[in-house]
Every structure is written in C-alpha cells, then in structure tokens.
Amino acid sequence: MKYLPALILTLLLCMACSNPSPEEMASIAAKGYYTHLVNGEYEVFLEGKDGADSLPDGYREQLLTCYRQFMAQQNRDHHGILDIRVSNAVTDTALQYTNVFLVLCFGDSVNEEIVVPMVERNGSWRMK
C-alpha cells in the first residue's frame, strides 16, 4: 500500500512529460503491479486490483496466501521470474477495458505471455 502513491506519482510524471495513450498508461501500471508481485510486495499487488479496498479480511488473506504460493512455485519450478516485458496492449472500447499482454521471463529461459485486463477508475489504472 505504501508503494501505491509512488506508482501513481510515476504515472502522473509520465503524463506530464508526454501525452501517452491509454494503452501505454495501462501497460505501465500492469507491469508495475506485476513487478511488485515478483518482488514479494503482495499487499501492493493486491491493492492494484479493482475493488481490493472492499474485500473481506478473510478473503484478502486467502489472496495474499495464493500470491505467496504462486511465487514460491515459480521460484521452485522456473528459478523465479527475472523480467517482465510488455508485449502489446489493446483497448476494447465497448467493454471499456484494456488488455495488456505481459511476457514473464523465467530463470530457466522459459517465457510465458499472460493477459492482464486493466480498467481506469478515477484516473488510476487497476487490474480487473
């Protein structure tokens, strides 16, 4: 949670320096959230989810446990996630969200592309 203001500030600075597209903004946010996950900052990753502020405590703890288990499995099976790259981003104007395609680069040289649906809420990009 303490890193969320820094992420928002970074996004605002990027906006002030140029006029980025919604796809660029969603991509920056998605990569940032997944970087927090890889760094073991599970609370920050969870705060990046849309509606995270209204989760019941028990469910919140279950999600945090799942994130810890996921990263432990990636460390065990693939020697961790060494890099995260943005592959593409596509906005669905009808459904009002942007799919960000991230490539997870594992320590055993395997790459996996994932899709992260992102929505904009009050000027902030959140994972759907």
Side-chain angles (χ1 to χ4, degrees), residues 34-91:
Y34 270 82
T35 300
H36 288 299
L37 176 68
V38 169
N39 291 336
E41 299 162 350
Y42 307 118
E43 287 277 350
V44 180
F45 178 76
L46 180 57
E47 290 303 318
K49 289 205 172 271
D50 191 37
D53 55 345
S54 61
L55 293 174
D57 290 339
Y59 184 55
R60 174 183 279 290
E61 284 305 314
Q62 288 175 4
L63 288 173
L64 293 171
T65 298
C66 286
Y67 301 151
R68 282 190 283 278
Q69 290 173 343
F70 171 76
M71 287 309 301
Q73 180 182 7
Q74 300 317 305
N75 289 330
R76 183 180 63 247
D77 295 349
H78 299 288
H79 308 292
I81 300 172
L82 301 181
D83 192 23
I84 302 164
R85 289 181 277 159
V86 175
S87 169
N88 195 12
V90 179
T91 298

Side-chain angles (χ1 to χ4, degrees), residues 1-30:
M1 181 105 170
K2 65 182 179 181
Y3 297 102
L4 193 56
L7 179 63
I8 292 170
L9 181 60
T10 302
L11 292 174
L12 291 174
L13 286 173
C14 288
M15 287 178 14
C17 295
S18 65
N19 193 12
S21 69
E23 291 84 2
E24 290 171 322
M25 295 302 293
S27 296
I28 291 168

Side-chain angles (χ1 to χ4, degrees), residues 89-107:
V90 179
T91 298
D92 186 324
T93 54
L95 297 175
Q96 298 181 334
Y97 67 88
T98 298
N99 280 325
V100 176
F101 297 84
L102 297 178
V103 177
L104 305 180
C105 304
F106 295 95

